[in-house]
Amino acid sequence: MSLVLTPLYFALMVFLWPKRANVVALLGLGVQFGLTLYTAFWTPLPRRITLGDWGAPLGIELWLSPLSLLFCLLSSAVFLGVGLYANTAYKNNHKERSRFFVLAFFLSLGLTLLFVSDDVFNLYVALEIVGLSAIGLSALRPTKEALRASLTYLFTTLVGSGAYLLGVALLYGEYGVLSLDLLSKALISSPTSNIAFGLMAAGLILKTALFPLHFWLPKAHANATSPVSALLSGLVIKGSFFLLYRLWFDGGLGNETLGHGLGILGGVGVLYASVLALLQTKLKRIIAYSTVAQIGYLFLVFGLVKFDDSLVPREGILLLALAHGLAKAGMFLAAGALVYVHKKDDLVTLQGVGSYAPLSVFSFGIAAVSIMGLPPSLGFFGKWLLLLSAFEHREMIVAGVFIAGGVLSAGYMFRPLSVFFAKPTHTLSLQRPPLWLELPALGLSLGALALGFFTSHILDYAHG
């Protein structure tokens, strides 16, 4: 329980002592990371925890599995990196810094609950905590564009949550239980079950921003402050995807027809969003459309598993999700440091910025290696496993999507890199970014690269 309650405790501490937010928040993020490491490697897994000795179907149960702990580790690592960045970025605005950390701790609470809950209603509560705290974070930037984007995000989140809750109500009416474990044992194919899961899947797809329901993401991620963009892109969309993944594979709620449809949408999303990323002229919008494209890869697994009883596609998607979480958070933080230099994120104004912020450009490049799926990054091994599965089952269209998506991602990632090293068209007299804006981006980006050397260890751990 300490894993779930620690973010709540430190959110209250920051709220009560806003002038000490810098110390309290970093202490809290460090404690959360340490607790997650301890739980992941020094406690028995998997194990089920019942609150107050009240188990299912009436009580609340938490399910600590290696898979859920891997996502908790991703979450706590990204929060720690983003927290270090935010502590420097907001150092001249104590009120904004304390608001950021209070909302960030609530977001951490919601994500942790989402990763370890084993009850479809508690998972809804976790979704709401994640959604509302993410909206609050996206509205921190005092601009009209950010406010409009956060309102659109709010509307989207409410619709997605409402659809999910309707599905939960239908399942409870049909089976009388909310525990995912009990549901998986009682589930039979029926119109009610199919409608319920269809509603839940639709809500989660909307929250994850799968094509064509991605309309809210580019504006929300591009208009937020850089630490918020890193959390939204690196973690928040992983929460709803993780839940859909669990309902599908652990709850047994998926079916082949829907999986085929999700695979098609994922493939189209990869190509469509990659082309749009190529056409953008602002750095953060390129990264945001890249996120939509990478989400498409995650959904290709639902189209592949119908052929494959092996764990290869699921292993590929696990590696890809972890790699994207680290790399995209690192990339948004690096972009934030570059924007700090120029105060704008237009590519034209960023010409020659590499000579002022070489560490940030290096971090951006390392993250891009993982996003493009180049060896030896973790992103490479994730895409490689999915590509192998596609070839093995003669799914040439899926394989073609991987290859075309890889070429397009190289195009939209090398474009800003070439701009950073280009000769500036005007005389530059700029301020270098503080080191603590650059180091967190470097750490997260290197994590996405270095974990590629530990792929077999990650998969062994995930299999328990």
Side-chain angles (χ1 to χ4, degrees):
M1 277 304 292
S2 55
L3 205 61
V4 176
L5 294 178
T6 298
L8 178 61
Y9 173 77
F10 279 96
L12 293 174
M13 292 281 285
V14 173
F15 179 76
L16 293 173
W17 287 282
K19 291 184 179 179
R20 300 292 182 190
N22 55 338
V23 177
V24 175
L26 293 185
L27 176 65
L29 294 172
V31 169
Q32 180 72 2
F33 184 63
L35 271 175
T36 310
L37 277 176
Y38 174 77
T39 308
F41 295 108
W42 287 283
T43 62
L45 295 175
R47 73 177 188 274
R48 194 173 295 279
I49 297 174
T50 56
L51 301 188
D53 293 329
W54 280 70
L58 296 178
I60 295 175
E61 290 186 343
L62 303 181
W63 174 239
L64 300 185
S65 68
L67 181 66
S68 63
L69 262 297
L70 276 176
F71 277 85
C72 286
L73 278 171
L74 168 69
S75 174
S76 58
V78 170
F79 270 107
L80 186 58
V82 171
L84 289 168
Y85 180 100
N87 201 39
T88 302
Y90 294 124
K91 68 177 182 181
N92 295 323
N93 191 332
H94 298 298
K95 286 185 178 178
E96 194 168 350
R97 178 162 61 185
S98 62
R99 287 171 189 160
F100 170 84
F101 279 120
V102 169
L103 290 167
F105 275 119
F106 272 103
L107 180 59
S108 176
L109 164 69
L111 284 169
T112 305
L113 198 57
L114 192 58
F115 295 142
V116 302
S117 288
D118 198 43
D119 178 306
V120 287
F121 183 75
N122 290 331
L123 286 164
Y124 163 74
V125 174
L127 268 181
E128 286 294 272
I129 296 172
V130 170
L132 294 176
S133 50
I135 291 162
L137 284 167
S138 65
L140 282 178
R141 193 175 184 184
T143 64
K144 289 182 180 178
E145 292 80 8
L147 183 59
R148 289 195 195 101
S150 60
L151 286 174
T152 306
Y153 191 15
L154 173 63
F155 172 76
T156 304
T157 292
L158 291 177
V159 172
S161 299
Y164 177 87
L165 186 58
L166 279 175
V168 171
L170 286 175
L171 283 180
Y172 187 69
E174 183 80 357
Y175 300 103
V177 292
L178 294 169
S179 161
L180 197 54
D181 182 44
L182 295 180
L183 269 175
S184 66
K185 294 171 182 170
L187 195 70
I188 56 172
S189 181
S190 69
T192 304
S193 300
N194 292 335
I195 293 171
F197 182 61
L199 285 166
M200 296 164 83
L204 295 173
I205 289 168
L206 182 61
K207 283 174 172 282
T208 312
L210 173 66
F211 171 88
L213 302 178
H214 65 284
F215 58 91
W216 59 271
L217 187 146
K219 290 181 180 177
H221 290 201
N223 286 304
T225 59
S226 293
V228 174
S229 301
L231 292 177
L232 296 180
S233 191
L235 294 180
V236 172
I237 57 171
K238 304 297 182 305
S240 46
F241 176 79
F242 178 84
L243 178 49
L244 181 62
Y245 182 95
R246 280 206 66 202
L247 292 175
W248 194 286
F249 295 111
D250 294 347
L253 288 164
N255 60 68
E256 188 172 315
T257 304
L258 184 56
H260 189 62
L262 292 180
I264 291 173
L265 292 179
V268 175
V270 169
L271 302 177
Y272 174 80
S274 296
V275 171
L276 286 184
L278 277 170
L279 300 176
Q280 302 305 308
T281 58
K282 291 180 179 291
L283 180 60
K284 290 183 71 175
R285 286 186 73 85
I286 292 173
I287 306 173
Y289 274 106
S290 160
T291 297
V292 179
Q294 299 300 314
I295 289 168
Y297 286 113
L298 298 181
F299 280 87
L300 283 174
V301 70
F302 297 109
L304 285 173
V305 288
K306 65 181 182 294
F307 303 107
D308 202 336
D309 291 332
S310 78
L311 295 173
V312 173
R314 295 171 64 175
E315 289 174 342
I317 222 65
L318 167 64
L319 297 181
L320 202 55
L322 296 176
H324 182 260
L326 289 170
K328 197 48 69 74
M331 185 173 282
F332 263 119
L333 294 187
L338 294 172
V339 173
Y340 176 90
V341 173
H342 266 288
K343 311 303 179 190
K344 295 179 180 178
D345 72 336
D346 301 276
L347 284 183
V348 174
T349 62
L350 291 170
Q351 278 191 219
V353 75
S355 58
Y356 285 84
L359 195 57
S360 293
V361 172
F362 179 71
S363 303
F364 189 97
I366 294 294
V369 167
S370 187
I371 296 295
M372 289 185 282
L374 298 179
S377 67
L378 192 60
F380 163 75
F381 288 104
K383 290 182 180 177
W384 178 249
L385 289 179
L386 290 172
L387 189 60
L388 281 181
S389 183
F391 276 127
E392 185 179 347
H393 298 288
R394 300 182 185 280
E395 280 291 304
M396 294 304 137
I397 295 177
V398 177
V401 168
F402 274 103
I403 295 169
V407 172
L408 289 169
S409 65
Y412 65 68
M413 285 289 118
F414 277 119
R415 185 166 159 242
L417 285 170
S418 66
V419 169
F420 300 154
F421 290 109
K423 185 178 179 181
T425 56
H426 52 280
T427 304
L428 294 176
S429 180
L430 303 171
Q431 183 182 3
R432 291 175 183 272
L435 191 59
W436 280 107
L437 286 189
E438 298 192 288
L439 288 180
L442 180 64
L444 292 170
S445 300
L446 284 176
L449 181 73
L451 285 178
F453 295 102
F454 301 95
T455 300
S456 60
H457 297 281
I458 295 171
L459 294 179
D460 288 344
Y461 179 83
H463 296 317

